[in-house]
Amino acid sequence: QVQLVESGGGLVQAGGSLKLSCAASGRTFYYMGWFRQAPGKERVFVAAINWSGGTTYYADSVKGRFTIARDNSKNTMYLQMNGLKPEDTAVYLCAVGGRTYSSDSRNFGSWGQGTQVTVSS
């Protein structure tokens, strides 16, 4: 199983930006995705990207503000977050999916431990 480590979280004011990174212990030839979990809430889908980086998907709540990317030469996936809102506050987790797209966390089998993003108003 591949090991994933997220980084880049922090405290930012509303309207600000953060860039999250997800470093993998080896190459992944599958979709990868970002999920987030706020206090008292279930884990929800944020964005996904296929193995080559040419196909991306976003939750409606982040579309137009967040950009997902990956650099396979570095075994790293990124989430650029712009125009942050207080409702974006959550623990952000990266995960490895399958050969086809899914927004369902049950179709992702390897997870990082998460990085905290806090957006103040």
Side-chain angles (χ1 to χ4, degrees), residues 104-121:
D104 191 334
S105 63
R106 293 175 295 180
N107 293 323
F108 291 76
S110 297
W111 295 83
Q113 294 300 305
T115 185
Q116 176 70 47
V117 172
T118 302
V119 184
S120 65
S121 58

Side-chain angles (χ1 to χ4, degrees), residues 2-119:
V2 66
Q3 303 294 311
L4 304 176
V5 179
E6 302 94 339
S7 62
L11 175 64
V12 64
Q13 290 192 340
S17 298
L18 285 173
K19 187 175 183 178
L20 307 183
S21 297
C22 172
S25 61
R27 186 166 300 278
T28 60
F29 299 99
Y30 307 95
Y31 269 85
M32 294 188 70
W34 288 97
F35 293 76
R36 66 188 184 188
Q37 188 165 16
K41 302 292 185 180
E42 295 298 315
R43 188 170 297 176
V44 298
F45 171 78
V46 175
I49 187 167
N50 76 330
W51 77 271
S52 70
T55 303
T56 59
Y57 297 87
Y58 298 92
D60 288 343
S61 59
V62 307
K63 197 169 298 181
R65 300 187 297 121
F66 291 11
T67 303
I68 189 171
R70 67 192 297 171
D71 184 344
N72 290 332
S73 70
K74 299 179 179 179
N75 294 333
T76 303
M77 179 177 65
Y78 306 95
L79 186 68
Q80 177 66 51
M81 305 185 294
N82 299 324
L84 284 163
K85 305 175 180 179
E87 52 262 45
D88 295 319
T89 295
V91 173
Y92 283 71
L93 306 102
C94 62
V96 178
R99 287 289 190 180
T100 59
Y101 165 72
S102 178
S103 62
D104 191 334
S105 63
R106 293 175 295 180
N107 293 323
F108 291 76
S110 297
W111 295 83
Q113 294 300 305
T115 185
Q116 176 70 47
V117 172
T118 302
V119 184

